[in-house]
Amino acid sequence: MTEPLLSIRHLSKHFPVDTDLLGRTTSVLKAVDDLSLDIYPGETFGLVGESGCGKTTVGKMLVNLYRPTSGEILYGGRDLAKLTTSERRAYHREIQLIFQDPYSSLNPRMTVGDIVSEPIRVNRLLPPDKVDDRVSYLLNCVGLSANCKNRYAHEFSGGQRQRIGIARALAMEPKLIVCDEPVSALDVSIQAQVLNLLSDLSDQFGLTYLFIAHGLNVVKHVSDRVGVMYLGRLVEVAEKRELYRNPVHPYTKALLSAIPVTNPAHRRERILLEGTVASPIDPPPGCRFCSRCYAKPEGAGGCDSEMPELVEVSPGHFVSCHLFAAEEGDQEMRALHEEAR
Amino acid sequence: MAERRHDLAEEPAVKRGEPGVLLEVKGLSTDFVMNRGTVHAAIDVSFSVREGEVLAIVGESGSGKSVTSLSVMRLLQRPGRVIAGEVLFRGRDLLELPEKEMRAIRGDQMSMIFQEPMTSLNPVFTIENQLVESIRTHMKLDRKAAFERAVRMLGLVGIPSPEKRLKDYPHQMSGGMRQRVMTAMALSCRPQLLIADEPTTALDVTIQAQILSLIGHLREKIGMAVLLITHDLGVVAETADRVVVMYCGRVVEEAASEELFDRPLHPYTLGLLRSIPSMEDTEDDEALYMVPGMVPNPLNLPAGCAFEDRCERRGARCTSEVPELYEAKGRKVRCFLYDPAGVEGLCA
Amino acid sequence: MAEPDPLTPPSDSLIADEAMALGEALPVVSALGVDETFYEKADNRWLEMWRSMVANKAALVSMFFIVFLAIVAIVGPYVTPYNPIETNMSNALKAPSAAHWFGTDQLGMDVFSRVVVGTRVSLTVGLLAVSIALTIGIALGAVSGYAGGRTDTIVMRLMDMMLAVPSILLAITLMAALGKGIDKAVVAIGLVSIPEYARLVRGQILSIKQNDYVAAARLAGNSDFRIIFRHVLPVAMSVIIVRATLGISAAILDTAALGFLGMGVQPPQAEWGDMLGRARGFIFQAPHTLLFPGLAITLTVLAFNLVGDGMRDALDPKSRIR
């Protein structure tokens, strides 16, 4: 197997919520908790989860907008935290972000040309006389004409603004682009245009994507592999087709079943979750999904006291659930799970 | 349960409309007058909601779906103004009622759930204050009975330990909880019609599933009709009986839900359905279908069909003339392809 | 039914990306957000603002008045009918007449000439004091808002302390330390109005900082300095300018107050506040000696306030709906 382009190892991000009189943290929000995953060159990795699950925080840590509390981000085999300043600058160039909100992500006081050329000028990627041609080229790549350059972002619609944001990310000649819900603010008919553009660009420039989304339907179309997050933890990772055919984590199943579909033939039996969502602030020990889980065994077993490990249930398919604990002695649990199925 | 107090049958007002029809909107037009021109946000919109029915209005941003619902509730704010049309609720034109009577109808016979539950609840009062107060004013119950009703409603919308949660302030609840409180508030007076404007857009899919199943459940239980406004075709497919599709302020297609998803007639509806990423288990890697182009500038709508420049099946006629809402096989569609006078002038 | 047009396939049709390639500016309008989208679409914010100002009669008249004041301030001293500092005791406290339009004061100086000359002092002091306050206030506010944390706490507590003392009292204290004179008055007034601007700028920056384009600017490799000056401050500028316009009127009032207390311009130089202060003993004998400088202060302050309000309304989209 090829070397991963990016490896995340035991990554955590905790935000202090409350401090005592002496300024010591008494309460933390565990936005991301002990997350590990690999992203291989050329693939699109879909990261899915509902609001507050920490998926955006992961994206922001990759592009260094947030500093991890602990854990490593290995890019090309080297730990980001241990890079020298100049190496870090190169790293930054190679990982870019596409924002969710096409309205707040473009500076209202700058022309489109300035927005797209800024990364090139600031990093002196090209001699000044070549910049203009490059900007025209990039705008053409995202389906905009070069004469948009002198206009301001507010003159464009949401879909066009998202294209401008993509052109700005491409200006840095990145290898990996973190797409943070790039289409969730757009209309359905425009979503398709932007998704297709992203997949064309990945072929054209050999890009790797980390595609963050809140629903499994968009990710289904663009991803090669998919990871599902719940309250800061990765609960299931698998190759796309495998995940959609054979979801094993109870949360993934509920998430899949909750997607409203237009074709009655593809409707799954809906799993309605009960119970309240656990808070990411000072979360209880044990599985984060425990409070809403419908498949946990009678008496909850270890679910409410022990954090399940991520284990491989079939090649390339990982899940973090006590029903699939690694130990051999857990046959009983598996049997229970089979019943639940 | 208490008798309905507002028996409209006794009202002296002239009764119009067909029997069984709860809400009938006829030729509703709403304009937004601004410095740079006038936006015709809703143009000649007509539809009706029968008793106990779920009618969905679907459209993208700028389609006029929310403006339509606000016009019906008379909650439109400046610079929006209804310039023509009638909104008949049980035969009475709501647009002509005095504000006082309208207020009595809102939140009583008709109630509304908004998209953003946080801004619709008053942050300085507890849930109890707001919910009990609303029940008391609309149902003329005493405090104790109103409290009991509030508890029952919260339980019904699936809020655990409702007595305790009644003491909470809105900010102490999660988005899903607030949306449920809003729903409870909207449903507490047993409305005959619930207008739900993007009731689940701000919510996570798993919570959305809960709220939708709750609305469906209550509809069966108390027989209310629902006017559902949404952009999500999936939600429509799973909840609505009939669907009205809007584009650029006009109704472009109306059909029973199953027929619409089975065989969309208008090219826009078709394009919309095809551009949704499919959940089918296909060996796909081909590109998604795209509706080309984008919504025209509402300040400057084309003279002909608003969808003309994005349409794959447009003809010469489409640029100059706005098609009527033709009746085709018991359905309504605004496209020259279904002009009973023939399809000449169109290149397929 | 009309005869259908001949079958002409729309050959010049635009498919999706071609239409986009034309860069057509077509906003996607959500039903409720209809107005915002249109305000955003203004070709030029300043032009739009100008249009809105012209529509606002009070602001327009005030603007002309300020232009008039500026002209008076520039050419006034060269065209006064009398030497404004020439005393003529035999001609003291004369009521307005054809010879002395605004009458004469207790020293027989021509009030009209003194009011005209005083315009330059008041406007200069107003502008200079606000410039000092703006420069330091923007720097402090920007650093404080952008850096946050301890820097923010220290700077803002300092500003709070300054705000806790009435500004005119603080200015007097400063004058006591610096000494009398109009130049010192400018510095004193400028310094005491720093906190206002620092707080305003900090607040603006805190909210602008939340925008994704600021994060995008960091991803593009900009330095913090460049992000503040290129991505954050320009967006806040309109609000700051409006506040500065209102600030000029406050500075003019403060100058007059210091002058009234005899701490600003030293006689025989003419300054409105100083004229008021010296004439106050004659309020019953010769009310015109107070009336005209007082009127000058009032009208000038009013004009700046109305223009400032007009600009603020012009910048606030909601008020632009007719």
Side-chain angles (χ1 to χ4, degrees):
Chain A
M1 205 160 193
T2 45
E3 282 295 301
L5 179 67
L6 183 95
S7 295
I8 297 172
R9 290 284 168 266
H10 306 291
L11 190 68
S12 297
K13 178 68 187 174
H14 298 173
F15 295 100
V17 190
D18 224 349
T19 51
D20 63 10
L21 280 175
L22 299 172
R24 288 175 304 205
T25 307
T26 54
S27 172
V28 289
L29 188 152
K30 296 190 175 178
V32 176
D33 200 18
D34 195 19
L35 182 109
S36 301
L37 57 85
D38 291 327
I39 298 172
Y40 295 93
E43 78 166 344
T44 297
F45 187 92
L47 192 58
V48 181
E50 295 182 295
S51 53
C53 76
K55 58 192 189 298
T56 297
T57 310
V58 172
K60 288 195 169 170
M61 281 193 281
L62 292 189
V63 296
N64 203 29
L65 286 175
Y66 287 150
R67 200 151 294 223
T69 306
S70 63
E72 294 173 327
I73 299 171
L74 302 164
Y75 181 71
R78 305 190 58 182
D79 185 358
L80 170 63
K82 295 192 183 106
L83 294 180
T84 64
T85 317
S86 63
E87 283 172 323
R88 187 174 295 174
R89 192 166 293 147
Y91 164 87
H92 274 312
R93 248 186 58 196
E94 290 177 15
I95 301 187
Q96 286 295 309
L97 181 68
I98 295 171
F99 293 87
Q100 173 178 8
D101 181 357
Y103 293 92
S104 92
S105 63
L106 304 179
N107 189 331
R109 296 286 182 280
M110 286 167 75
T111 61
V112 171
D114 283 345
I115 290 171
V116 177
S117 64
E118 183 172 47
I120 306 173
R121 284 182 284 111
V122 169
N123 296 285
R124 299 197 182 81
L125 298 180
L126 285 173
D129 56 315
K130 298 247 173 72
V131 173
D132 203 50
D133 288 344
R134 176 76 180 162
V135 171
S136 304
Y137 170 74
L138 289 169
L139 287 174
N140 284 330
C141 286
V142 297
L144 294 168
S145 94
N147 46 24
C148 296
K149 266 185 285 192
N150 298 322
R151 307 173 53 179
Y152 288 88
H154 59 71
E155 298 175 45
F156 295 88
S157 67
Q160 289 173 319
R161 284 167 155 251
Q162 207 55 297
R163 288 170 191 257
I164 297 167
I166 294 170
R168 170 176 61 192
L170 288 177
M172 294 288 259
E173 298 160 33
K175 289 195 174 136
L176 174 71
I177 296 186
V178 178
C179 307
D180 188 3
E181 304 208 34
V183 298
S184 62
L186 305 177
D187 273 329
V188 179
S189 67
I190 306 296
Q191 285 189 2
Q193 294 177 358
V194 172
L195 289 177
N196 284 344
L197 173 68
L198 285 172
S199 92
D200 291 347
L201 290 173
S202 108
D203 297 341
Q204 191 178 343
F205 293 93
L207 297 170
T208 305
Y209 291 128
L210 173 64
F211 195 99
I212 297 170
H214 65 266
L216 278 165
N217 40 354
V218 170
V219 164
K220 159 105 173 18
H221 190 78
V222 295
S223 306
D224 300 309
R225 284 191 307 139
V226 178
V228 179
M229 279 183 81
Y230 188 79
L231 286 179
R233 307 279 302 194
L234 201 57
V235 296
E236 187 161 0
V237 187
E239 194 268 323
K240 169 178 77 179
R241 209 152 288 142
E242 165 76 7
L243 187 88
Y244 284 79
R245 278 186 194 154
N246 265 330
V248 293
H249 196 281
Y251 176 65
T252 314
K253 287 181 182 173
L255 206 56
L256 266 173
S257 80
I259 302 169
V261 288
T262 49
N263 189 339
H266 300 124
R267 215 159 279 178
R268 290 163 190 257
E269 195 180 337
R270 183 160 295 172
I271 301 167
L272 285 180
L273 296 177
E274 308 276 326
T276 49
V277 186
S279 168
I281 299 171
D282 302 324
C287 176
R288 297 277 157 84
F289 187 60
C290 184
S291 64
R292 294 169 87 193
C293 190
Y294 51 90
K296 63 179 177 235
E298 210 65 35
C303 289
D304 55 0
S305 57
E306 223 178 301
M307 185 71 78
E309 296 288 319
L310 204 59
V311 295
E312 192 161 12
V313 285
S314 63
H317 191 159
F318 297 84
V319 65
S320 158
C321 176
H322 283 301
L323 296 172
F324 299 92
E327 288 89 338
E328 288 303 311
D330 276 310
Q331 290 303 327
E332 200 185 336
M333 286 284 234
R334 276 175 199 244
L336 268 167
H337 176 260
E338 288 307 317
E339 272 172 45
R341 262 184 165 176
Chain B
M1 206 75 282
E3 283 281 317
R4 294 220 60 79
R5 291 170 302 101
H6 293 271
D7 193 358
L8 285 171
E10 288 169 12
E11 298 283 338
V14 196
K15 284 205 63 163
R16 284 169 289 183
E18 305 158 42
V21 173
L22 190 63
L23 178 80
E24 188 171 10
V25 175
K26 281 187 189 168
L28 182 80
S29 295
T30 300
D31 277 2
F32 280 71
V33 181
M34 314 210 256
N35 281 356
R36 328 190 110 243
T38 300
V39 171
H40 304 293
I43 307 166
D44 193 20
V45 174
S46 301
F47 58 86
S48 56
V49 185
R50 298 190 196 101
E51 291 188 37
E53 174 186 60
V54 177
L55 176 76
I57 301 185
V58 199
E60 297 180 290
S61 44
S63 64
K65 56 188 193 303
S66 287
V67 168
T68 302
S69 72
L70 290 171
S71 303
V72 167
M73 283 300 259
R74 285 194 26 200
L75 290 173
L76 207 60
Q77 288 182 347
R78 260 189 0 134
R81 209 163 54 85
V82 176
I83 54 159
E86 293 182 319
V87 177
L88 302 177
F89 182 68
R90 312 217 128 190
R92 284 209 302 175
D93 190 351
L94 296 184
L95 298 179
E96 280 165 9
L97 285 186
E99 183 56 36
K100 201 174 155 223
E101 279 179 56
M102 188 63 213
R103 218 174 300 143
I105 289 183
R106 269 198 299 258
D108 181 6
Q109 298 167 42
M110 243 166 128
S111 51
M112 193 156 181
I113 308 178
F114 297 95
Q115 179 172 358
E116 194 9 86
M118 193 60 200
T119 50
S120 313
L121 289 169
N122 189 332
V124 301
F125 292 113
T126 58
I127 301 300
E128 177 179 352
N129 258 316
Q130 304 182 50
L131 188 54
V132 172
E133 238 6 82
S134 134
I135 293 173
R136 285 188 66 190
T137 38
H138 288 295
M139 304 203 65
K140 301 270 188 305
L141 290 174
D142 63 36
R143 176 155 281 284
K144 192 161 169 283
F147 182 82
E148 280 167 10
R149 186 163 174 78
V151 171
R152 214 168 44 241
M153 283 314 295
L154 287 188
L156 209 56
V157 296
I159 290 179
S161 51
E163 291 95 338
K164 259 187 233 158
R165 301 316 294 255
L166 270 175
K167 309 287 178 213
D168 283 356
Y169 286 90
H171 66 86
Q172 290 169 295
M173 307 186 123
S174 66
M177 281 294 170
R178 284 196 293 265
Q179 190 60 282
R180 288 172 195 217
V181 170
M182 276 298 298
T183 311
M185 210 177 275
L187 298 175
S188 61
C189 306
R190 299 192 150 234
Q192 294 154 346
L193 176 66
L194 175 74
I195 298 184
D197 189 353
E198 305 271 8
T200 56
T201 304
L203 304 177
D204 285 330
V205 277
T206 53
I207 307 285
Q208 164 175 295
Q210 284 171 297
I211 297 277
L212 288 180
S213 94
L214 173 77
I215 290 179
H217 183 65
L218 289 173
R219 170 197 165 205
E220 273 166 30
K221 223 169 164 188
I222 65 179
M224 69 175 177
V226 181
L227 178 60
L228 176 73
I229 287 109
T230 181
H231 70 278
D232 189 333
L233 286 163
V235 169
V236 173
E238 300 211 348
T239 45
D241 300 317
R242 270 187 318 125
V243 186
V244 167
V245 183
M246 287 185 73
Y247 186 75
C248 284
R250 286 194 173 87
V251 173
V252 296
E253 183 162 5
E254 183 184 331
S257 180
E258 276 168 29
E259 287 178 32
L260 186 97
F261 290 106
D262 206 30
R263 213 170 74 79
L265 295 183
H266 198 284
Y268 171 65
T269 318
L270 181 68
L272 216 53
L273 279 171
R274 282 175 66 193
S275 55
I276 301 173
S278 141
M279 288 306 290
E280 286 170 53
D281 191 14
T282 48
E283 302 293 317
D284 59 358
D285 266 322
E286 82 273 23
L288 272 176
Y289 175 78
M290 315 189 267
V291 180
M294 63 192 86
V295 179
N297 185 343
L299 275 170
N300 188 16
L301 286 182
C305 174
F307 190 60
E308 176 265 326
D309 67 335
R310 304 174 74 181
C311 185
E312 287 179 344
R313 304 188 64 187
R314 68 180 165 275
R317 214 176 147 189
C318 304
T319 44
S320 53
E321 233 183 295
V322 178
E324 285 168 46
L325 199 56
Y326 300 110
E327 295 261 354
K329 299 166 200 123
R331 301 166 53 171
K332 290 179 189 158
V333 57
R334 190 184 292 281
C335 179
F336 288 123
L337 289 172
Y338 305 94
D339 184 351
V343 294
E344 313 92 88
L346 284 168
C347 61
Chain C
M1 230 43 277
E3 194 60 25
D5 293 336
L7 298 177
T8 44
S11 54
D12 58 341
S13 65
L14 300 169
I15 56 154
D17 283 6
E18 280 168 2
M20 283 201 174
L22 290 175
E24 278 163 0
L26 302 175
V28 174
V29 179
S30 71
L32 284 168
V34 113
D35 44 321
E36 279 135 11
T37 316
F38 283 95
Y39 293 113
E40 277 201 334
K41 238 187 78 63
D43 322 291
N44 182 330
R45 287 172 58 90
W46 296 107
L47 191 72
E48 191 77 353
M49 190 165 131
W50 172 250
R51 276 193 206 128
S52 164
M53 289 281 288
V54 172
N56 181 343
K57 290 288 171 289
L60 191 67
V61 170
S62 303
M63 215 143 51
F64 281 122
F65 184 70
I66 290 172
V67 171
F68 167 72
L69 282 177
I71 294 169
V72 169
I74 294 163
V75 302
Y78 308 106
V79 298
T80 52
Y82 298 89
N83 182 347
I85 57 169
E86 191 180 275
T87 59
N88 179 359
M89 290 310 288
S90 63
N91 206 14
L93 298 175
K94 285 278 179 340
S97 64
H100 298 279
W101 294 351
F102 290 0
T104 60
D105 68 3
Q106 65 281 10
L107 296 172
M109 296 190 277
D110 179 45
V111 175
F112 177 72
S113 301
R114 289 180 68 78
V115 168
V116 167
V117 171
T119 309
R120 180 183 277 191
V121 179
S122 289
L123 287 196
T124 318
V125 169
L127 284 175
L128 281 180
V130 167
S131 310
I132 293 175
L134 264 187
T135 315
I136 305 178
I138 288 180
L140 285 177
V143 168
S144 181
Y146 190 80
R150 190 158 293 175
T151 322
D152 186 32
T153 313
I154 293 171
V155 173
M156 283 301 126
R157 284 305 86 77
L158 205 69
M159 297 292 113
D160 287 345
M161 275 154 65
M162 282 177 76
L163 282 173
V165 183
S167 66
I168 193 73
L169 200 64
L170 196 60
I172 291 170
T173 318
L174 278 170
M175 294 290 289
L178 296 168
K180 287 180 176 180
I182 192 69
D183 47 342
K184 319 281 195 322
V186 169
V187 174
I189 295 167
L191 290 180
V192 299
S193 28
I194 289 172
E196 261 184 73
Y197 297 101
R199 292 183 92 169
L200 173 76
V201 172
R202 172 178 175 268
Q204 286 289 314
I205 288 195
L206 283 182
S207 79
I208 294 168
K209 210 168 73 164
Q210 304 298 322
N211 282 310
D212 284 342
Y213 61 80
V214 176
R218 279 182 66 187
L219 290 184
N222 284 292
S223 63
D224 286 344
F225 187 80
R226 207 179 127 86
I227 291 175
I228 293 180
F229 281 92
R230 193 154 158 71
H231 292 271
V232 180
L233 273 182
V235 182
M237 222 51 216
S238 51
V239 178
I240 296 173
I241 287 172
V242 170
R243 184 60 161 269
T245 311
L246 295 170
I248 292 176
S249 73
I252 290 174
L253 268 183
D254 283 350
T255 323
L258 286 179
F260 184 83
L261 297 170
M263 308 185 92
V265 160
Q266 294 307 300
Q269 289 298 318
E271 196 272 330
W272 298 340
D274 181 63
M275 285 165 77
L276 277 184
R278 287 179 200 283
R280 72 180 188 276
F282 309 98
I283 186 163
F284 297 113
Q285 293 153 268
H288 64 270
T289 51
L290 281 98
L291 177 69
F292 292 107
L295 215 54
I297 295 171
T298 311
L299 290 180
T300 308
V301 168
L302 186 67
F304 276 104
N305 278 342
L306 289 175
V307 169
D309 282 348
M311 282 162 74
R312 188 179 52 205
D313 290 349
L315 285 172
D316 178 14
K318 291 270 187 294
S319 70
R320 264 196 267 163
I321 298 162
R322 278 190 204 125

